[in-house]
């Protein structure tokens, strides 16, 4: 009786699965317009984000020099990173410090700026929103920050510090480890006033002014 009961149970489970798949397919057909709208982004996101990450995870378990076929080595690469590579541990520490600082600060900065600007008159609000958002999508962002933190006397910040006698020689903001983290954090916080800032502005605009 045992094998007969198991066969019946498997048949019932298979039939239930078939019914669920049929119902799911009917829902997909009923909402095909929505799926067609989402399809371009979903396909591109899968091709350029999900698939490369999945391939990278698989390759991380191999010895691959891009010239010869990958050779499976299991956990050897990860063991070498954690136990033998000092640079990797420094990179992990810097990444954690960077994430802990920039994550909350960028969120609160976007919210506070959006809140303050939302209380202004419509024309002033539009101008300030453009001023805060436009630089983050500008193609010359790299050039602007490179000029500001340039390691010679022609850099804006070094020129100011040298002019007022605060320093005696230019500070190497972009190459000195003592300054690199702070510079990157400042740039990322400034860049965060982009999409998130606009999202907060849009959300605050939808709230009843009486509240």
């Amino acid at each position: 009786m045992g094998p007969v009961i198991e066969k019946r149970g498997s048949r019932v489970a298979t039939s239930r699965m078939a019914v669920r798949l049929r119902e799911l397919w009917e829902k997909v057909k009923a909402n095909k317009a929505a799926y067609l709208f989402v399809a371009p982004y979903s396909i591109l996101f899968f091709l350029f984000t999900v698939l490369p990450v999945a391939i990278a995870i698989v390759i991380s378990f191999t010895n691959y020099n891009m010239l010869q076929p990958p050779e499976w080595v299991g956990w050897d690469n990860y063991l070498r990173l954690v136990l033998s590579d000092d640079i990797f541990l420094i990179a992990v520490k810097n990444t954690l410090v960077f994430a802990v600082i920039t994550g909350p600060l960028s969120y609160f900065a976007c919210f506070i700026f959006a809140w303050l600007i939302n209380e202004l008159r419509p024309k002033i609000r539009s101008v300030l929103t453009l001023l805060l958002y436009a630089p983050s999508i500008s193609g010359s962002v790299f050039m602007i920050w490179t000029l500001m933190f340039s390691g010679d006397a022609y850099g804006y910040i070094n020129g100011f510090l040298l002019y007022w006698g605060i320093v005696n020689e230019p500070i190497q903001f972009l190459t000195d480890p003592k300054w690199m983290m702070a510079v990157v954090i400042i740039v990322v916080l400034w860049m965060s006033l982009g999409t998130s800032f606009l999202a907060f502005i849009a959300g605050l605009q939808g709230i009843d002014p009486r509240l």
Side-chain angles (χ1 to χ4, degrees):
M1 291 295 293
V4 174
I5 294 175
E6 290 180 1
K7 289 182 179 180
R8 289 180 179 177
S10 62
R11 289 177 182 175
V12 171
T14 303
S15 62
R16 288 179 179 176
M17 181 65 66
V19 171
R20 291 178 181 176
L21 290 175
R22 194 178 303 111
E23 292 177 352
L24 178 62
W25 177 245
E26 293 297 330
K27 291 181 180 179
V28 170
K29 289 196 298 184
N31 300 281
K32 59 183 178 181
Y35 285 100
L36 288 175
F37 275 113
V38 176
Y41 173 81
S42 301
I43 293 172
L44 292 176
F45 181 79
F46 176 79
L47 290 177
F48 294 102
T49 302
V50 178
L51 186 60
V53 170
I55 294 174
I57 292 174
V58 175
I59 293 177
S60 69
F61 292 97
T62 66
N63 183 13
Y64 182 45
N65 58 11
M66 299 182 68
L67 298 176
Q68 299 173 341
E71 179 184 356
W72 186 264
V73 295
W75 294 97
D76 290 351
N77 293 330
Y78 291 96
L79 292 175
R80 192 182 309 113
L81 277 176
V82 176
L83 300 178
S84 303
D85 194 340
D86 297 333
I87 297 177
F88 173 73
L89 296 179
I90 295 174
V92 171
K93 183 194 71 172
N94 291 337
T95 302
L96 291 176
V97 172
F98 177 81
V100 169
I101 294 176
T102 59
L105 282 182
S106 64
Y107 181 86
F108 286 113
C110 291
F111 176 72
I112 291 173
F113 276 106
W115 187 11
L116 294 175
I117 292 176
N118 186 65
E119 300 298 322
L120 301 175
R121 296 179 179 178
K123 292 183 178 180
I124 300 177
R125 182 171 61 236
S126 300
V127 172
L128 290 178
T129 301
L130 178 63
L131 291 176
L132 287 174
Y133 177 69
S136 64
I137 59 174
S138 173
S140 59
V141 170
F142 175 79
M143 182 184 69
I144 294 172
W145 287 105
T146 302
L147 287 174
M148 290 184 63
F149 290 104
S150 179
D152 52 29
Y154 297 101
Y156 294 157
I157 296 179
N158 272 323
F160 176 82
L161 296 177
L162 290 170
Y163 179 80
W164 291 101
I166 299 176
V167 296
N168 295 324
E169 57 183 13
I171 300 174
Q172 303 300 316
F173 290 106
L174 302 179
T175 57
D176 191 342
K178 295 187 300 183
W179 295 95
M180 289 173 61
M181 176 67 75
V183 171
V184 172
I185 289 175
I186 292 172
V187 174
V188 169
L189 289 176
W190 180 79
M191 291 289 293
S192 66
L193 295 176
T195 306
S196 300
F197 171 74
L198 287 184
F200 278 120
I201 287 285
L204 292 172
Q205 287 293 304
I207 298 177
D208 190 342
R210 292 176 297 179
L211 301 177

